[in-house]
Amino acid sequence: MPFRAPADEFRFICKHIVPYGDVAATDMFAHADEDVSDAILTEAAKVCDEVLAPLQRNGDLTPAVLENGVVRTSPGFADGFKALAEGGWVSMSGSEEYGGMGLPVTLSTAVNDMMSGACLALQLNPLMSQGQIEALEHHASDEMKALYLPKLASGEWCGTMNLTEAHAGSDVGALSSKATDNGDGTYAVTGQKIFISWADNDFSENVCHLVLARLPDGAPGTKGISLFLVPRHIPDADGNPGEKNSLRVVSLEHKLGLHGSPTAVMSFEGAKGWIVGEKHGGMKAMFTMMNNARLGVGTQGIGTAEAAYQKALEYALDRKQGRSPVEGGTGTIADHADVRRMLTRMKAEIFAARSIEMMNAVALDLAKATGDDGQASRAAFLTPITKAFGTDIGSTVANLGVQVHGGMGFIEETGAAQFVRDVRVTQIYEGTNGIQAMDFVARKMMDGGEMAFRILEETEQCAEEARANFPKMAGAVWSAAENLREATEWLVAQKDMNDRFAGAVPFLFAFARVLGACAHLRAAMVCGPDHARTRLARFYITRMLPEYEAALAEARAGAADLYALTVEDLTA
Amino acid sequence: MPFRAPADEFRFICKHIVPYGDVAATDMFAHADEDVSDAILTEAAKVCDEVLAPLQRNGDLTPAVLENGVVRTSPGFADGFKALAEGGWVSMSGSEEYGGMGLPVTLSTAVNDMMSGACLALQLNPLMSQGQIEALEHHASDEMKALYLPKLASGEWCGTMNLTEAHAGSDVGALSSKATDNGDGTYAVTGQKIFISWADNDFSENVCHLVLARLPDGAPGTKGISLFLVPRHIPDADGNPGEKNSLRVVSLEHKLGLHGSPTAVMSFEGAKGWIVGEKHGGMKAMFTMMNNARLGVGTQGIGTAEAAYQKALEYALDRKQGRSPVEGGTGTIADHADVRRMLTRMKAEIFAARSIEMMNAVALDLAKATGDDGQASRAAFLTPITKAFGTDIGSTVANLGVQVHGGMGFIEETGAAQFVRDVRVTQIYEGTNGIQAMDFVARKMMDGGEMAFRILEETEQCAEEARANFPKMAGAVWSAAENLREATEWLVAQKDMNDRFAGAVPFLFAFARVLGACAHLRAAMVCGPDHARTRLARFYITRMLPEYEAALAEARAGAADLYALTVEDLTA
């Protein structure tokens, strides 16, 4: 059985777990009512199942290669991309004025999740374009928008992000790429960028690079960085790709996974570029793109987890081994307690992460549609959780999938190991999960924890509502939220940021665990006691939620003990 | 800086954490006193650093291949194996009578750990021979011992284990390989075996397969299985490899990692074999080999973790990124709290697992040297912990290593990802970690938990001794041991094995976490308050030990809630 995109799951989450109804009730998204969103999910699922999923192994077995300076993509990827482009999937949430579908990010996130599960390596391509569309919509001139956005939305052209350099990774401000004013409204961009996803392909007319570089009068650090749009081919007077720009793909990386996605070293050699946004204001524009991309990357983790789960479940239900330990069992390894435990854990983890992801997306849509700063803050608060937790569970679920397969999991033909390899980078790119956690406990707590407390209050309220019908589960969720509130109070009281950073990763994890429990509890309330979702909620709350406690113990341990262990101690 | 085998770490553990002195005090191992063991560790470390470590990437980049029925091993592997064989490393703990060094398993385990870190793929080869030597010493006839053991010990011949078949993995008893009596003291063995590690090579004169098969009068299931020694080349009258036997390597697997180790499908086509042990007593002989191999596989996980740690630390101390957040820091990413946290966690995890591994090995040696059943039971009890915990931390530490590397971790040339790929199978082979956990909560608790309680008493006693100097750490360890004791009482009271199995994996993990804490606490007691090991102990006990609690919550959750979630629920 091949991958089946879980459209119903998103229907359930939109209807019962997150307030998607509020999104569809806004003027901006009134056209995206339940009928329309249903149809969109159905159509996207069809593309996933029929077009993308069959390409998943191709990318792995026949990686993209660089031949004479030209990237040759994996078999079928060109047609696959064409189908995505023609279906309008590249710019689902882009503005209709510029060729997008103008749909809520909630829907594009659901679709990104499903498409990641179907074929992560190819899905990464439109994800890059989506980030670029978002950045240009917010920061480009009208002229630039008119020229580039329709081409990106239609998939005729593709977009990339060029941030990282060999000595400027997490520390973007250390970059050494330069730009000089050509005096004709254009700039000459020079520098070498690394880890450029989908830097080139053989199926789009043009590739548009968003490149961070420093103007001569740019201050050191992030404050002096500007953003430039540097197309592979310079648009001619009619807006068609004309002369080749002075840039090239130097090499492609040999990676652990995601082989279908070409990851390049790019060289810009006085390439012609146009500034996006203000001079020295590149980081602001970049952050627009990165926030979008961080949600998108979290989504990649969750989508991959779904695919790994489906594959493991299918294998388990086919594999007979030993006597069934339960009466009336299936006679397969899915009857064995530990296999059942792993499968159930996978499913519970995916629902938790997916609910957070959708909560995040809904807040983005409400912020955009209503201009409510509270919703914008909520979205910003949830983004590092979606990114880090979504990708962490992507890896853990994929690894559980391998384990369910036993020896076959280690054999590449099975396909289970590919998920582990492909998804691993999602914990790293778009800001490592460590960086996400730092962002979470520092920038996202600059409000003194206000947003954290608000979300925890909602969690406690959810637990109160559930108490009558599910006293045990409700009690566990309420206590967890309360402990998390106390830990958050401790955290925001820490003036020395290192005391926060020393436990940032476990703190973020604890927050995700508790939010996930709240989502499961909501599902139980909606479905009632005799429902699969309620049984899954009980599994999560009994067996997985308690993990937040150890995470909080570490989160509150502070920096002193950590730094007491010197570099010499580590080397000894 | 290349891999450096951690000989000093084993010296410390042998001297202070585990009672290696008791081993050297026995008549059997009197020759393996501190001077000798020191010299052995020094010499082995030299082989690791100079001979094996340089081969690590070769195996990955140039996998073993099957050409015209012949396995061609990776570049340098033949010379590497020759060096191991000539150094006597293949049969360190084999009997001196048959060419072994007669050394304690404690020392061979330390050496296996170091060699795994240096080059896991090649190290797996002698590990297989060690298991075979152990099985033959216990179960073979004197004639067979005299013929085969010296050849295996010298490395002239290599040994393999042939258990698994396509439909008989965890359920060995389902195998369909057959053996018939040739009437001349030999048997004709027919069947197909899969996942055969180092099934063949191009550097040993002969390869000796231990094959499980069923005689015509063998009962169904494990009780009717016999063990046969089936050499690739049949020894002639002088004991030299003669006629080629009727067996062949059908194909090699394309695996996630461990590419330097050929994993084969083997076909035995009426191949000539000799029975090992009693008719239908194959499982008993196999278990001798498997217990040895399970300790060995746990060791592989820990050794790989060490190598991953060293590589990550080296990278972190070289990589400059952003301002150092601490005064007088190194200016590298190792100063950043989360990187420091990851590195420290890796180191703390390795020490914990390694202490358990050595505790396990010492019990094996004491059992052998003194005939003490209590020591034998202790070794048996610890084996699934060493195997499952050692390999689980192998994967988690290797994954942390990738994360420390950031984007470079995803690039294969870095070498960090290879550890993740290579070590992944150790959680699966020699009985998946799920199987280990089932063994732990069922077979190893058949004594009503007696051994568990004894070990927990020792842990509490250790905490009591530490209370004066380290009240906080001691209190945490004591409480953890006490909670684990209660959980063990609950566990052994469960009559329905499914109630144990449903939480077996987290229960085993909790046990390991607590034993690891005890080892760290012992190190602190030995070293005093102002020592790196004490700071590491504080990190482990404050930040990692608390994880046992959530594990126990899951361990005690029982089977009802788990099986309440039906297969239909999972498929929905």
Side-chain angles (χ1 to χ4, degrees), chain B residues 80-110:
Chain B
F81 181 78
K82 203 174 154 199
L84 292 182
E86 286 175 356
W89 302 109
V90 174
S91 188
M92 277 183 69
S93 52
S95 146
E96 287 174 281
E97 188 184 350
Y98 296 113
M101 288 209 242
L103 289 167
V105 167
T106 309
L107 289 183
S108 62
T109 296

Coordinates of all heavy atoms in Angstrom, one line a residue, chain B residues 80-110:
Chain B
G80 N 44.1 -4.6 7.7 CA 43.6 -4.3 9.1 C 43.3 -5.6 9.9 O 43.7 -5.7 11.0
F81 N 42.6 -6.5 9.2 CA 42.3 -7.8 9.9 C 43.5 -8.5 10.2 O 43.6 -9.1 11.3 CB 41.3 -8.6 9.0 CG 41.0 -9.9 9.7 CD1 40.0 -9.9 10.7 CD2 41.6 -11.1 9.4 CE1 39.7 -11.0 11.4 CE2 41.3 -12.2 10.1 CZ 40.3 -12.2 11.1
K82 N 44.5 -8.5 9.3 CA 45.7 -9.2 9.5 C 46.4 -8.7 10.8 O 46.9 -9.5 11.6 CB 46.7 -9.0 8.3 CG 47.7 -10.1 8.1 CD 48.5 -9.9 6.8 CE 49.9 -10.5 6.9 NZ 50.8 -9.9 5.9
A83 N 46.4 -7.4 10.9 CA 47.0 -6.8 12.1 C 46.3 -7.2 13.4 O 46.9 -7.5 14.4 CB 47.0 -5.3 12.0
L84 N 45.0 -7.3 13.3 CA 44.2 -7.8 14.5 C 44.5 -9.2 14.8 O 44.8 -9.6 16.0 CB 42.7 -7.7 14.2 CG 42.1 -6.3 14.1 CD1 40.6 -6.4 13.8 CD2 42.4 -5.4 15.3
A85 N 44.6 -10.0 13.8 CA 44.8 -11.4 14.0 C 46.2 -11.7 14.5 O 46.4 -12.4 15.5 CB 44.7 -12.2 12.6
E86 N 47.2 -11.0 14.0 CA 48.6 -11.2 14.4 C 48.8 -10.7 15.8 O 49.6 -11.2 16.6 CB 49.6 -10.5 13.4 CG 49.7 -11.3 12.1 CD 50.5 -10.6 11.1 OE1 51.0 -9.4 11.3 OE2 50.7 -11.1 10.0
G87 N 48.0 -9.6 16.2 CA 48.2 -9.1 17.6 C 47.5 -10.0 18.6 O 47.5 -9.8 19.8
G88 N 46.8 -11.0 18.1 CA 46.1 -11.9 19.0 C 44.7 -11.4 19.5 O 44.1 -11.9 20.4
W89 N 44.2 -10.3 18.9 CA 43.0 -9.7 19.4 C 41.7 -10.4 19.1 O 40.7 -10.2 19.7 CB 42.9 -8.2 18.8 CG 44.1 -7.4 19.1 CD1 45.1 -7.0 18.2 CD2 44.5 -6.9 20.4 NE1 46.1 -6.3 18.9 CE2 45.8 -6.2 20.2 CE3 44.0 -7.0 21.6 CZ2 46.4 -5.6 21.2 CZ3 44.6 -6.3 22.7 CH2 45.8 -5.6 22.5
V90 N 41.8 -11.4 18.1 CA 40.6 -12.1 17.8 C 40.1 -12.9 19.0 O 38.9 -13.0 19.3 CB 40.7 -13.0 16.6 CG1 39.5 -13.8 16.4 CG2 41.1 -12.2 15.3
S91 N 41.0 -13.6 19.7 CA 40.6 -14.5 20.7 C 41.3 -14.1 22.1 O 41.9 -14.9 22.8 CB 41.0 -15.9 20.4 OG 40.5 -16.8 21.3
M92 N 41.1 -12.9 22.4 CA 41.6 -12.4 23.7 C 41.2 -13.2 24.9 O 41.9 -13.5 25.8 CB 41.2 -11.0 23.9 CG 42.0 -9.9 23.2 SD 41.4 -8.3 23.7 CE 41.8 -8.2 25.4
S93 N 39.9 -13.5 24.9 CA 39.4 -14.2 26.0 C 39.1 -15.7 25.8 O 38.6 -16.4 26.6 CB 38.1 -13.6 26.6 OG 37.2 -13.4 25.5
G94 N 39.6 -16.2 24.6 CA 39.5 -17.6 24.3 C 40.6 -18.4 25.1 O 41.6 -17.8 25.6
S95 N 40.3 -19.6 25.3 CA 41.2 -20.4 26.1 C 42.6 -20.5 25.5 O 42.8 -20.7 24.3 CB 40.6 -21.8 26.2 OG 41.6 -22.8 26.3
E96 N 43.6 -20.4 26.4 CA 45.0 -20.5 25.9 C 45.3 -21.8 25.3 O 46.1 -21.9 24.4 CB 46.0 -20.2 27.1 CG 45.9 -18.8 27.5 CD 46.8 -18.5 28.8 OE1 46.3 -18.8 29.9 OE2 47.9 -18.0 28.6
E97 N 44.6 -22.9 25.8 CA 44.8 -24.2 25.2 C 44.6 -24.2 23.7 O 45.2 -25.0 23.0 CB 43.8 -25.2 25.9 CG 44.0 -26.6 25.6 CD 42.9 -27.5 26.3 OE1 42.1 -26.9 27.1 OE2 42.8 -28.6 25.9
Y98 N 43.7 -23.4 23.3 CA 43.4 -23.4 21.8 C 43.8 -22.1 21.2 O 43.2 -21.6 20.2 CB 41.9 -23.6 21.7 CG 41.4 -24.9 22.2 CD1 40.5 -25.0 23.3 CD2 41.8 -26.1 21.6 CE1 40.1 -26.3 23.7 CE2 41.4 -27.3 22.0 CZ 40.6 -27.4 23.1 OH 40.1 -28.6 23.6
G99 N 44.8 -21.5 21.6 CA 45.4 -20.3 20.9 C 44.9 -19.0 21.4 O 45.3 -18.0 20.8
G100 N 43.9 -19.0 22.3 CA 43.5 -17.7 22.8 C 44.4 -17.1 23.8 O 45.4 -17.7 24.2
M101 N 44.1 -15.9 24.3 CA 45.0 -15.2 25.3 C 44.6 -15.5 26.7 O 45.3 -15.2 27.7 CB 45.0 -13.7 25.1 CG 45.8 -13.2 23.9 SD 46.5 -11.6 24.2 CE 45.6 -10.6 22.9
G102 N 43.4 -16.1 26.8 CA 42.9 -16.5 28.2 C 42.7 -15.3 29.1 O 42.7 -15.5 30.3
L103 N 42.4 -14.2 28.5 CA 42.2 -13.0 29.3 C 40.7 -12.8 29.7 O 39.9 -13.4 29.1 CB 42.7 -11.7 28.5 CG 44.2 -11.6 28.3 CD1 44.5 -10.6 27.3 CD2 44.9 -11.3 29.7
P104 N 40.5 -12.0 30.8 CA 39.1 -11.8 31.2 C 38.3 -11.1 30.1 O 38.8 -10.4 29.3 CB 39.2 -10.8 32.4 CG 40.7 -11.0 32.8 CD 41.5 -11.3 31.6
V105 N 37.0 -11.4 30.1 CA 36.1 -10.8 29.2 C 36.0 -9.3 29.4 O 35.8 -8.4 28.6 CB 34.7 -11.4 29.3 CG1 33.6 -10.5 28.6 CG2 34.7 -12.8 28.7
T106 N 36.3 -8.9 30.7 CA 36.4 -7.5 31.0 C 37.3 -6.7 30.1 O 37.0 -5.7 29.6 CB 36.8 -7.3 32.5 OG1 35.9 -8.1 33.3 CG2 36.6 -5.8 32.9
L107 N 38.5 -7.4 29.9 CA 39.5 -6.7 29.0 C 39.1 -6.8 27.5 O 39.2 -5.8 26.8 CB 40.9 -7.3 29.2 CG 41.5 -7.0 30.6 CD1 42.9 -7.6 30.6 CD2 41.6 -5.5 30.8
S108 N 38.6 -8.0 27.1 CA 38.2 -8.0 25.7 C 37.0 -7.1 25.4 O 36.9 -6.6 24.3 CB 37.9 -9.5 25.3 OG 36.8 -10.0 26.0
T109 N 36.2 -6.9 26.4 CA 35.1 -6.0 26.2 C 35.6 -4.5 26.1 O 35.1 -3.8 25.2 CB 34.1 -6.1 27.4 OG1 33.5 -7.4 27.4 CG2 33.0 -5.0 27.3
A110 N 36.5 -4.2 26.9 CA 37.1 -2.8 26.8 C 37.7 -2.7 25.4 O 37.6 -1.6 24.7 CB 38.2 -2.6 27.9

